[in-house]
Amino acid sequence: MIMNSLFRYTLMCLAVSAVFFQSCKKEVLTPDSANDRRNLQAVLDSYNGVAPTNPYYTVDSLRKSIQVFSEYTSANVVKDRLTLRYLPSDYLPTGLYATIGDTLQINVQKAGGNTLPKLLIGTDKRDGNKSKPQVVQLQEGNNVIIASKRGSLWIRYSSATPSGVSTLTFSENIKRCPVFIKNKSDQRLFSAAIQAADTTIHDILLVGQNTISVLPRSDDKFRTQNNNNIIQQIDIAWETQERFS
């Protein structure tokens, strides 16, 4: 899933801070050679007219202690393919959260391939244009990490030739963000989760078919507005850009 500049613009118009992720299932190729034509046909065959979804992350595992991640195409590859000026986003959500000084305990087991993911603590540019997340290369086995940044926890797990699969087990006492999933979550329960969340948690997540938005918990409108409709409109923006690409 890769963040697109159109979505950055969309969120600026909405006057909120968010991160959007786009699936890399479809490829955009110019069939200038026999190899390109074969690759393009393979992509068209796999697409088969069905709107792409996220094959890399199981949304149902958000906020849970055990989560499975599959490696995906790197941001540099996607940047070159789509001729973007900036690197797109290349990280996936966990629905978990950390504050400065928290001790995070994460067990990592390879389920396929030879690569391991990185943990990001905090969202890029979440607290201003110059803010960066803490990035930790996870090792197989037990990892003990002291958070030097605050924010949502993300996983970066990408390469030019993705093949890895890893199972991450987080300690039970880890903080959890309120999460609303399109066409699945109940607005009343989501509102209650926002109210009941640890006071140190500043983020909520809105999860669409192909997009994830990280937004400020302090904004009361998320407790009462039609979040399902909001996510649907964001997904429509993603689908419009996907067709354009």
Side-chain angles (χ1 to χ4, degrees):
M1 298 194 311
I2 302 298
M3 182 169 66
N4 193 286
S5 58
L6 173 63
F7 302 136
R8 287 188 178 180
Y9 177 76
T10 301
L11 278 194
M12 285 191 289
C13 293
L14 293 173
V16 294
S17 172
V19 176
F20 296 100
F21 299 86
Q22 171 181 327
S23 167
C24 300
K25 182 175 180 180
K26 291 201 296 180
E27 294 291 332
V28 178
L29 301 170
T30 302
D32 292 332
S33 67
N35 185 57
D36 283 345
R37 286 192 291 273
R38 285 193 297 271
N39 290 339
L40 179 58
Q41 187 59 53
V43 169
L44 292 175
D45 290 344
S46 68
Y47 178 53
N48 197 28
V50 178
T53 56
N54 169 21
Y56 312 113
Y57 180 78
T58 303
V59 170
D60 285 343
S61 69
L62 281 167
R63 305 179 79 244
K64 295 183 179 178
S65 295
I66 300 176
Q67 304 188 20
V68 179
F69 292 88
S70 296
E71 196 173 25
Y72 48 88
T73 305
S74 69
N76 280 311
V77 171
V78 177
K79 175 179 178 292
D80 292 342
R81 175 172 66 84
L82 297 180
T83 62
L84 300 175
R85 182 177 179 184
Y86 300 104
L87 281 174
S89 145
D90 64 347
Y91 45 90
L92 302 176
T94 65
L96 305 175
Y97 194 92
T99 54
I100 295 174
D102 282 356
T103 299
L104 309 179
Q105 299 182 49
I106 307 171
N107 181 272
V108 180
Q109 298 297 324
K110 281 190 289 192
N114 296 310
T115 57
L116 292 168
K118 294 179 180 178
L119 174 73
L120 278 64
I121 304 174
T123 305
D124 191 44
K125 297 181 174 60
R126 177 72 173 83
D127 297 316
N129 286 334
K130 294 184 178 180
S131 65
K132 297 290 184 182
Q134 177 184 354
V135 181
V136 180
Q137 175 62 64
L138 296 173
Q139 305 299 322
E140 192 163 18
N142 293 321
N143 295 259
V144 178
I145 301 160
I146 306 298
S148 63
K149 298 288 184 72
R150 76 170 189 187
S152 294
L153 305 185
W154 309 91
I155 297 299
R156 174 175 285 146
Y157 196 18
S158 64
S159 71
T161 55
S163 63
V165 180
S166 292
T167 300
L168 275 60
T169 302
F170 299 86
S171 57
E172 288 291 345
N173 63 347
I174 200 164
K175 297 180 176 70
R176 291 167 167 81
C177 295
V179 174
F180 189 99
I181 302 173
K182 187 177 79 171
N183 297 331
K184 292 184 67 175
S185 295
D186 180 274
Q187 179 61 45
R188 290 173 298 175
L189 294 178
F190 180 61
S191 178
I194 293 175
Q195 182 69 23
D198 190 292
T199 57
T200 60
I201 295 174
H202 293 189
D203 292 350
I204 63 170
L205 297 182
L206 302 185
V207 180
Q209 180 183 358
N210 291 290
T211 62
I212 303 289
S213 307
V214 53
L215 299 156
R217 176 193 175 191
S218 59
D219 195 328
D220 284 339
K221 69 172 174 286
F222 298 114
R223 296 178 56 189
T224 57
Q225 72 180 7
N226 187 337
N227 288 303
N228 215 59
N229 183 60
I230 294 296
I231 300 170
Q232 175 63 19
Q233 298 310 309
I234 295 171
D235 270 347
I236 288 172
W238 181 91
E239 290 165 2
T240 299
Q241 179 64 12
E242 176 71 8
R243 290 194 298 270
F244 177 79
S245 294

